[in-house]
Amino acid sequence: GGGGEGEEGGAAADAWEEALTGSELSRPSNRFYDAVTNISAPELIGSFAETAPPEVQQAVRSTVVSLLGNLPPQLYDTSVASTGQNVASLMYSMQLTGYMFRNAEYRRSLLESLQRDGGDSAVLPPVDEAGAALPEVSGLIKVKLGEGTEVEVEAAAYMSELRSEVEAMRGELMRTRETTREAQGGGLLAYIQSLGRDNLQSLTSSISQEVLDAMRLLIESILREADVGGDTFMETPGVKLRELLVWQLVTGYRLRELEAREELNRALTGEPE
């Protein structure tokens, strides 16, 4: 009931207070935390903007817009009031989302690569080749134009016209699909949304404890620098909160890249985890 939720919330707030007031000297070294804090937030986001695929950048923008809306900051001076604990939870959620974006990108790229490799030995020819291989037709056929109106036309010309219309419709369908995919996050969000529950959970279930610790350490560091405790009430300008969320999304994305690089190094060198 309400009492249980209050106790849980109080325990979480106490945990954040304890974490935020802990001694720096007592914190173990974390290479992932060091890597993402040795570069400033503007530099990290700038690098992401230069190197991340457009569909991933669109997914980041769509995620932030879904949380904060899309009001232009020059016209609306918005602010968000919350507690340090809630902001910390939001930052953690954004880090995990960024991590999930990178993992989804890895997985989808692998699937597309496998599909391309498998397509080389496909039994059926591609659509264009199949269309080109249709047998020739000849003679006249009757075409009904309207109520009680029929005309005779060359079968070859009529089939050619039909084929052109089908190709035009196919092209329009592909453009519509691309537009829809871009609107949903350049295809990446659409791909993530198409995954079943188990597959969706698998995008973050393999995260290492060291990366989780790095996420926690970064959140603690940010709140400590802002002098915000777990139950501290704070009011943040909408523009600043938007920047913070983008930073955390990009950080999670970057952490997965670093983790994947370490996994690859271990696989190649045979080093234990």
Side-chain angles (χ1 to χ4, degrees):
E5 292 177 0
E7 291 174 4
E8 291 176 2
D14 291 342
W16 277 112
E17 284 290 352
E18 182 179 347
L20 294 174
T21 56
S23 169
E24 286 289 337
L25 295 177
S26 65
R27 299 178 187 279
S29 175
N30 184 296
R31 52 194 164 174
F32 295 112
Y33 171 74
D34 292 341
V36 294
T37 53
N38 282 337
I39 179 174
S40 68
E43 289 176 317
L44 184 65
I45 295 172
S47 175
F48 173 81
E50 292 176 0
T51 60
E55 61 179 16
V56 178
Q57 298 187 42
Q58 179 61 37
V60 167
R61 286 192 293 269
S62 297
T63 300
V64 175
V65 166
S66 69
L67 288 171
L68 301 180
N70 200 23
L71 296 176
Q74 63 270 24
L75 298 180
Y76 298 91
D77 184 16
T78 60
S79 62
V80 177
S82 187
T83 63
Q85 178 189 337
N86 288 339
V87 172
S89 297
L90 184 57
M91 285 194 286
Y92 179 64
S93 176
M94 291 299 95
Q95 289 178 353
L96 280 181
T97 300
Y99 182 99
M100 180 179 65
F101 284 167
R102 191 64 181 103
N103 238 4
E105 189 185 348
Y106 281 137
R107 181 175 296 185
R108 195 176 68 158
S109 296
L110 177 60
L111 287 174
E112 290 177 349
S113 176
L114 291 174
Q115 289 170 355
R116 283 195 300 270
D117 293 342
D120 294 338
S121 59
V123 175
L124 295 176
V127 174
D128 291 342
E129 293 181 13
L134 288 175
E136 292 185 4
V137 293
S138 60
L140 298 174
I141 59 174
K142 288 185 177 181
V143 178
K144 188 174 182 179
L145 298 179
E147 191 66 33
T149 305
E150 288 186 350
V151 296
E152 287 189 341
V153 297
E154 286 285 344
Y158 186 66
M159 290 297 293
S160 177
E161 181 68 20
L162 284 178
R163 189 178 302 175
S164 297
E165 289 184 9
V166 169
E167 289 302 319
M169 292 174 63
R170 181 180 294 146
E172 183 63 29
L173 178 60
M174 292 300 295
R175 285 191 293 273
T176 301
R177 285 177 176 173
E178 285 299 315
T179 301
T180 302
R181 287 177 60 181
E182 289 173 3
Q184 293 177 323
L188 186 65
L189 285 182
Y191 168 72
I192 293 173
Q193 291 165 0
S194 71
L195 297 175
R197 189 171 187 177
D198 292 341
N199 286 330
L200 188 61
Q201 290 178 345
S202 71
L203 292 177
T204 55
S205 61
S206 62
I207 188 170
S208 68
Q209 185 60 49
E210 194 171 8
V211 169
L212 287 173
D213 290 342
M215 292 178 173
R216 175 180 55 80
L217 288 170
L218 179 61
I219 293 171
E220 293 171 4
S221 174
I222 293 171
L223 294 183
R224 191 184 312 109
E225 290 180 9
D227 195 24
V228 174
D231 57 355
T232 302
F233 189 80
M234 56 185 293
E235 189 168 352
T236 308
V239 173
K240 292 297 182 184
L241 185 58
R242 186 182 301 270
E243 293 173 355
L244 178 64
L245 297 187
V246 171
W247 179 20
Q248 300 311 295
L249 280 161
V250 173
T251 296
Y253 184 89
R254 177 62 175 157
L255 284 170
R256 178 54 187 142
E257 286 186 331
L258 294 170
E259 184 184 46
R261 189 178 302 167
E262 291 242 342
E263 291 171 352
L264 180 59
N265 287 337
R266 283 199 300 269
L268 293 175
T269 61
E271 293 181 7
E273 294 189 14

